[in-house]
Amino acid sequence: MNNWKTLETENDESRLLAGLIDEADAVVVGIGAGMSAANGFTYIGERFRKNFPDFIEKYNWFDMLQASLFEFPSRQEYWAFQSRFVELNYLDQPAGEGYIALRKMLEGKKYHVITTNADNAFYAADYDMDKVFYYQGEYILWQCSKFCHQKTYRHDDQIREMAKAQEDMEIPYELIPYCPKCDAPMEVNKRNADKGMVEDDDFERDREKYNAFLEENSTGKVLYLEIGVGYTTPQFIKHPFWRMTRSNEDALYVPMNQKSYRTPKAVRPKTVALAGDIQKNILNAYKQLTYEG
């Protein structure tokens, strides 16, 4: 492994993070749910209880992830929940301080982001969206539930109307959206373990840009920075980051997560795990880079 000079001399995680980003020739950033949670956009606790008390009372859910995967008994109830969920986690979700600080740290670097999140965090924090790849869909987009064609749709006003007009956890029947091609019910554009998701032209272009960046930056001091990525879908970020780190002798794999996940033996010598508070480490790393700059 080539001369990542801070590795043996700096123990403070935020200073280490700042140094590694500064030294890298290119940064590939993988963002999971832990990043949004660290910015306060949690799917549990008071935020969940405040916005879905009726659904919690009816179904005894313990978090929004469980709720979002629920098989609702009717389309009226499905969209009553989803419209509130999309308002909260997309339309009305503010910019996260950690997302903004990370963007500023990456400015001037060669970088690209892949995320398994589907919220508005990168838009709200004013990222260059040509450098962000949403792999699991976006909450605001709709797709045909029968996958009859590869196109997504967006209707913010209708989501607002659903959230406002619902009663007893049901939207008015006439607000249920249907596919303009086959008349099947529409659903939120997000990846399903069984059937995948609709991948439209924008998705394909974003995938091509991400893959091109990986190919162009397959050698040299590439930092694979993984933030808040768990083990629910490791095949999208975690496993590819391991493979790319192994294949480049000068690469470094840096997972930021307060939970510990086993790293393959071949990757461990090229791994620096940051187990501290994600938000605190990012904000302090940005301050460190700003001060030294």
Side-chain angles (χ1 to χ4, degrees):
M1 183 170 56
N2 124 23
N3 299 328
W4 290 83
K5 65 175 182 289
T6 56
L7 289 181
E8 297 178 357
T9 61
E10 187 53 73
N11 293 321
D12 178 76
E13 288 191 346
S14 60
R15 288 179 61 86
L16 178 56
L17 176 62
L20 293 176
I21 291 175
D22 186 52
E23 293 171 37
D25 296 327
V27 186
V28 184
V29 188
I31 300 285
M35 175 65 164
S36 281
N39 279 260
F41 311 135
T42 59
Y43 281 13
I44 60 175
E46 180 59 24
R47 189 169 182 264
F48 178 41
R49 292 191 295 270
K50 178 181 177 182
N51 289 280
F52 301 97
D54 44 358
F55 281 99
I56 293 170
E57 182 179 359
K58 182 175 181 179
Y59 293 116
N60 296 312
W61 292 329
F62 52 84
D63 65 16
M64 267 186 267
L65 177 60
Q66 179 195 23
S68 68
L69 299 174
F70 185 72
E71 291 290 336
F72 289 90
S74 72
R75 284 286 159 177
Q76 288 172 272
E77 194 170 311
Y78 171 85
W79 282 109
F81 171 80
Q82 294 294 350
S83 60
R84 271 194 252 172
F85 181 89
V86 173
E87 273 199 327
L88 178 65
N89 295 297
Y90 202 102
L91 292 176
D92 295 337
Q93 182 171 285
E97 281 188 282
Y99 279 99
I100 294 171
L102 178 63
R103 172 180 61 78
K104 291 180 178 179
M105 279 196 289
L106 293 171
E107 287 175 355
K109 306 293 296 186
K110 290 193 295 182
Y111 79 92
H112 211 105
V113 176
I114 179 172
T115 183
T116 50
N117 295 347
D119 60 14
N120 76 335
F122 296 98
Y123 295 96
D126 200 27
Y127 277 69
D128 178 351
M129 298 309 295
D130 284 336
K131 297 181 179 181
V132 178
F133 179 27
Y134 274 86
Y135 193 80
Q136 299 247 64
E138 296 183 48
Y139 295 139
I140 195 60
L141 301 179
W142 299 352
Q143 64 187 22
C144 174
S145 60
K146 299 297 184 182
F147 285 49
C148 77
H149 64 300
Q150 295 295 305
K151 184 177 179 180
T152 60
Y153 300 83
R154 177 169 178 167
H155 298 286
D156 297 18
D157 290 344
Q158 193 166 344
I159 288 290
R160 297 282 194 195
E161 191 173 358
M162 290 179 189
K164 183 178 180 180
Q166 63 184 254
E167 293 183 4
D168 299 323
M169 295 180 293
E170 289 189 344
I171 65 165
Y173 184 82
E174 61 270 18
L175 289 181
I176 299 174
Y178 291 93
C179 175
K181 299 288 186 181
C182 73
D183 207 36
M186 299 291 270
E187 63 184 14
V188 173
N189 174 235
K190 60 182 179 181
R191 196 172 299 280
N192 180 287
D194 298 322
K195 64 179 183 178
M197 73 176 195
V198 166
E199 298 177 354
D200 61 13
D201 290 343
D202 289 337
F203 179 92
E204 293 296 344
R205 281 191 292 270
D206 288 344
R207 174 156 50 194
E208 289 174 5
K209 284 182 283 190
Y210 177 66
N211 287 336
F213 183 87
L214 296 181
E215 186 174 349
E216 292 165 5
N217 297 280
S218 59
T219 60
K221 294 172 69 172
V222 181
L223 175 61
Y224 294 97
L225 179 60
E226 181 190 282
I227 309 177
V229 176
Y231 223 85
T232 304
T233 53
Q235 69 271 32
F236 300 140
I237 294 176
K238 194 174 289 291
H239 291 174
F241 277 24
W242 290 347
R243 289 194 297 269
M244 291 184 290
T245 301
R246 283 199 304 266
S247 66
N248 176 2
E249 64 179 2
D250 295 325
L252 195 68
Y253 169 61
V254 179
M256 299 180 67
N257 205 315
Q258 291 182 283
K259 292 183 179 179
S260 177
Y261 296 97
R262 178 177 290 274
T263 303
K265 186 178 293 185
V267 183
R268 289 176 203 166
K270 305 168 70 175
T271 298
V272 177
L274 305 182
D277 183 275
I278 289 173
Q279 180 86 327
K280 180 180 178 181
N281 277 339
I282 290 175
L283 294 177
N284 287 341
Y286 172 61
K287 291 176 184 177
Q288 181 66 32
L289 284 175
T290 303
Y291 174 77
E292 290 186 347

